[in-house]
Amino acid sequence: MRALRLLTCLAVLLAMMGAAAPLQTAWAQQVSQSLDESGDPVAGNVPGGSLGNSSDSELWRAIRKGGQFGVSIPDEQAAIMVQSEGELWEEVRNGPLTFYGAVVVVGMFWLLVIFFFIRGRIKIEHGMSGQTIERFGMLERSLHWMVAVSFIVLALTGMNILWGKHVIMPILGKEIFATISMWGKYAHNFLAFPFMLGVALMFVLWVRHNIPNKHDLIWLSKAGGLFTKGVHPPSRKFNAGQKLIFWSVVLGGLTLSLSGVAMLLPFEFGMWAKTFGVLQSIGFNVPDPASVTPMMEMQLSTLWHSAASLVMIAIVLAHIYIGSVGMEGALDAMGSGQVDINWAREHHNLWVEEVEAEQGTAKPQAQPAE
Ligand code: HEM
């Protein structure tokens, strides 16, 4: 019985060796093919042939670098198997963009708080006269508030997209945060349209008052008298500070609109290859426009949209401060549209002169601007 078992084992062993022989021959062939005469691996071949005869390293490298292959379905994006820039995008968005964006916005908030405690509210030096002058008509004020309300909602909902999971979610919980974010996203998509329209109309309405002139240099050299009581550099309808706000809103609004629409209509149009082309032609060291894939277009648009909007939010925070708590009498301009003549003479003396000359209503008893 014992001898029979031994014989069976021997037979099985011999059979296995017989089956393995051809495999062993094939393996030996592979090894010999992957080595040159001196026994070194031939380029592209894996030593020992353990992973097959060829490592296909070139192929995998091309895939890792986002190489585009052929697909028979209409979505050509599917032909890119690995989009390595996605990792970089994520690192930038969740790293420096999230952090430095907060530094810019929160930093501006605290700067304004400090400024308020040092400088206090900027008063009308000669006090309210009780006599007013029309600063903005109904159309201008309606437009201002359309842009202001839409921008504030866009800013809050946009900041929620970037920081909400770090700030709101831990406080309100996942469910409430998800609901807020969903409605926030709808609001963000739809309010983009009144904002874009409003900025375009604002440009048409106010551009003629925002062309730089020689008074702006004087205004800037004295920092508009913001830090010194009793200093009121001459100014027409808008001073240099307001012109900076105006151009920030117009140019910031334009770039946010372009990058925003690029995200609303994914892969429909790209602006980065063209932008890099223009920048390259004037000597900037930017990525080669030909290397910008449709996916990179989208990634750059999201990063740029967030970064530009955070800078704009910081600028608008300063504007909101000076237009409300920071300066006595300013808010009336966008409220009733009528401002006190002493406020107007202190901050926009040349404009008051122009209006009075037009209307022939110069009032010698009102206080002169300093
Ligand atoms: C609660 C928020 C806001 C307040 C209290 C406010 C207040 C004001 C006031 C009082 C003026 C007239 C200044 C003057 O008479 O010389 C003004 C002008 C203006 N506002 Fe606003 N504003 C707010 C939000 C916004 C927003 C969100 C934007 C744009 C995104 C904006 C853009 C402008 C522009 C372009 C002007 C004309 C240039 C200037 O005066 O700086 N405002 N705002």
Side-chain angles (χ1 to χ4, degrees):
M1 193 62 187
R2 209 167 156 209
L4 190 67
R5 253 191 249 149
L6 242 159
L7 270 172
T8 318
C9 283
L10 205 64
V12 170
L13 204 67
L14 280 172
M16 279 169 69
M17 281 170 70
L23 284 176
Q24 223 169 358
T25 317
W27 179 75
Q29 263 173 4
Q30 282 184 0
V31 172
S32 67
Q33 276 170 13
S34 64
L35 301 176
D36 62 15
E37 283 157 10
S38 56
D40 292 328
V42 175
N45 287 332
V46 178
S50 58
L51 294 175
N53 194 33
S54 169
S55 72
D56 283 337
S57 56
E58 292 307 323
L59 175 73
W60 289 110
R61 193 167 293 125
I63 290 175
R64 187 72 181 81
K65 284 185 176 171
Q68 190 149 357
F69 301 91
V71 279
S72 53
I73 55 172
D75 180 8
E76 287 185 10
Q77 289 294 319
I80 299 176
M81 291 170 74
V82 177
Q83 212 273 331
S84 304
E85 288 81 11
E87 277 171 35
L88 183 63
W89 174 86
E90 194 184 4
E91 272 169 30
V92 173
R93 183 193 183 272
N94 295 342
L97 184 66
T98 300
F99 178 73
Y100 291 111
V103 170
V104 168
V105 174
V106 180
M108 176 58 90
F109 175 82
W110 285 111
L111 271 182
L112 293 169
V113 171
I114 294 168
F115 181 72
F116 178 73
F117 281 110
I118 294 175
R119 178 71 164 92
R121 192 167 205 220
I122 299 172
K123 296 262 189 240
I124 302 177
E125 264 171 53
H126 296 95
M128 297 280 246
S129 69
Q131 184 197 337
T132 60
I133 179 171
E134 185 178 81
R135 180 119 175 99
F136 296 110
M138 181 57 104
L139 177 68
E140 288 169 302
R141 283 178 286 140
S142 311
L143 197 56
H144 173 266
W145 289 117
M146 181 170 96
V147 172
V149 170
S150 51
F151 182 86
I152 290 168
V153 179
L154 286 167
L156 291 174
T157 52
M159 287 190 290
N160 180 52
I161 295 170
L162 189 61
W163 296 322
K165 72 172 176 185
H166 305 296
V167 180
I168 312 251
M169 197 167 79
I171 300 172
L172 298 181
K174 287 184 180 173
E175 303 243 317
I176 298 178
F177 171 64
T179 311
I180 291 176
S181 300
M182 185 188 74
W183 289 109
K185 185 71 186 85
Y186 285 136
H188 200 87
N189 286 1
F190 288 110
L191 286 175
F193 292 96
F195 174 73
M196 290 189 284
L197 178 70
V199 170
L201 294 175
M202 224 178 210
F203 173 77
V204 174
L205 213 59
W206 286 341
V207 66
R208 70 193 171 97
H209 298 299
N210 284 284
I211 310 294
N213 60 35
K214 62 177 192 294
H215 303 297
D216 298 330
L217 293 176
I218 302 168
W219 193 95
L220 287 172
S221 70
K222 297 186 176 173
L226 285 173
F227 300 95
T228 338
K229 277 187 186 159
V231 174
H232 296 294
S235 164
R236 296 178 69 185
K237 178 145 181 163
F238 289 132
N239 59 41
Q242 290 175 303
K243 288 179 185 176
L244 286 175
I245 300 284
F246 173 83
W247 288 110
S248 304
V249 170
V250 168
L251 298 177
L254 179 69
T255 196
L256 289 185
S257 304
L258 288 174
S259 50
V261 173
M263 285 188 280
L264 275 180
L265 307 170
F267 304 110
E268 289 296 325
F269 75 93
M271 58 181 203
W272 291 101
K274 285 178 210 131
T275 308
F276 289 155
V278 173
L279 290 175
Q280 223 173 36
S281 69
I282 52 174
F284 280 92
N285 185 16
V286 287
D288 180 9
S291 70
V292 181
T293 62
M295 186 63 90
M296 281 164 75
E297 285 278 355
M298 294 301 301
Q299 287 160 342
L300 287 169
S301 288
T302 61
L303 294 181
W304 175 256
H305 190 80
S306 314
S309 67
L310 294 173
V311 171
M312 201 167 149
I313 289 169
I315 294 172
V316 168
L317 271 181
H319 166 74
I320 292 175
Y321 168 79
I322 208 73
S324 57
V325 282
M327 181 181 281
E328 184 186 10
L331 194 56
D332 293 332
M334 281 300 168
S336 63
Q338 300 284 329
V339 288
D340 193 276
I341 193 80
N342 281 352
W343 178 91
R345 290 213 158 143
E346 283 172 19
H347 299 290
H348 300 278
N349 60 332
L350 302 175
W351 169 72
V352 175
E353 282 169 21
E354 281 163 20
V355 174
E356 289 180 341
E358 258 173 42
Q359 299 174 347
T361 56
K363 295 278 188 301
Q365 74 274 20
Q367 295 292 335
E370 286 176 25

